[in-house]
Amino acid sequence: RTAFATGFRAPQAFDEDLHIDTVGGAARLIENDPNLVAERSMSFAQQVAYKTELPGDLDLRLGVNGYLNRLDNAFVLNERDDPATPEEEVIRENRGTTTVVGAEIEASLAAKTWSVRAGWTVEDARNEEPDEDFGRNRLFRTPNLYGYLEGLVKVGGFQLQTGIDFTGPMLVPRLDENADPLEVIDSPWFAAWDLNISYAALIVDALVI
């Protein structure tokens, strides 16, 4: 399966700009740069999938997906504060090109009463131009490695579903109470585990005449 998509975001004031936004108790005003141009995106994805049946009524599925997302003239908010005013002025400008490229692999094995699914993604996301505060090109809060593992078991009317999400290190900016930049740290690996138990009862209504 091959997919391609493109779109744009006009250089205008957005609804979220009209919301009350405060930083350190001061109002935050967002303006558009007079030279702001439309933000344009292009996305391409290529997926190859394989499905087969194994002995014992087992269903095996494998999939590999590669993708490329390119954002030209990406919007970015930069501080342009005027100390003479009580508000904090922020300007929306264009910042080169943002590119996200990656590949993911998924696999699942299912029977009538149970199933197991797993997936893993390798990704690189970075800006063409570094940000003003820290001089970094990599996107913040965006890991290069992440994945998941899920399991499902059905016994009678009971269903047990559990899964764990793995997230690799990422760059995280630290700001002070006035939203001024302090440092960039590498977050550690972390995982989130979910567990769900449900029961479905079959109710049959009998009508006697």
Side-chain angles (χ1 to χ4, degrees):
R1 183 173 60 183
T2 302
F4 176 80
T6 185
F8 72 96
R9 196 179 192 192
Q12 63 184 38
F14 302 106
D15 291 342
E16 60 265 26
D17 298 339
L18 305 179
H19 296 171
I20 297 175
D21 191 3
T22 61
V23 177
R28 191 175 189 226
L29 303 179
I30 301 176
E31 296 182 2
N32 287 341
D33 186 284
N35 299 318
L36 189 70
V37 298
E39 182 184 76
R40 298 186 179 276
S41 65
M42 179 186 68
S43 301
F44 173 80
Q46 178 65 62
Q47 183 183 47
V48 178
Y50 174 76
K51 175 184 176 181
T52 186
E53 293 185 0
L54 301 178
D57 292 330
L58 296 178
D59 182 53
L60 175 65
R61 299 175 184 234
L62 300 172
V64 178
N65 181 36
Y67 57 89
L68 169 66
N69 300 322
R70 179 186 172 96
L71 190 63
D72 293 318
N73 299 314
F75 291 163
V76 62
L77 296 178
N78 289 320
E79 183 178 345
R80 296 291 185 270
D81 191 29
D82 183 358
T85 63
E87 299 84 12
E88 179 191 9
E89 288 82 16
V90 177
I91 188 169
R92 177 182 286 108
E93 300 174 306
N94 296 113
R95 183 178 62 194
T97 300
T98 298
T99 304
V100 180
V101 59
E104 57 186 353
I105 182 172
E106 292 184 304
S108 67
L109 185 63
K112 291 183 178 179
T113 58
W114 60 268
S115 65
V116 177
R117 297 177 61 242
W120 193 255
T121 301
V122 179
E123 181 180 277
D124 182 67
R126 60 183 62 245
N127 296 311
E128 180 184 22
E129 300 178 8
D131 71 282
E132 287 192 347
D133 292 333
F134 300 99
R136 300 298 186 99
N137 292 83
R138 276 184 56 193
L139 264 63
F140 295 137
R141 303 181 184 89
T142 305
N144 289 335
L145 300 171
Y146 54 93
Y148 69 91
L149 177 63
E150 298 177 353
L152 173 69
V153 177
K154 298 179 181 179
V155 179
F158 287 94
Q159 178 173 290
L160 172 65
Q161 186 172 9
T162 185
I164 184 168
D165 294 322
F166 302 95
T167 302
M170 65 185 91
L171 297 180
V172 180
R174 292 188 63 228
L175 309 176
D176 62 15
E177 64 274 8
N178 297 318
D180 292 326
L182 291 176
E183 62 178 344
V184 177
I185 62 175
D186 282 304
S187 66
W189 281 86
F190 69 90
W193 177 53
D194 293 318
L195 177 64
N196 180 273
I197 300 176
S198 60
Y199 177 76
L202 179 63
I203 301 177
V204 179
D205 294 328
L207 177 62
V208 179
I209 300 178

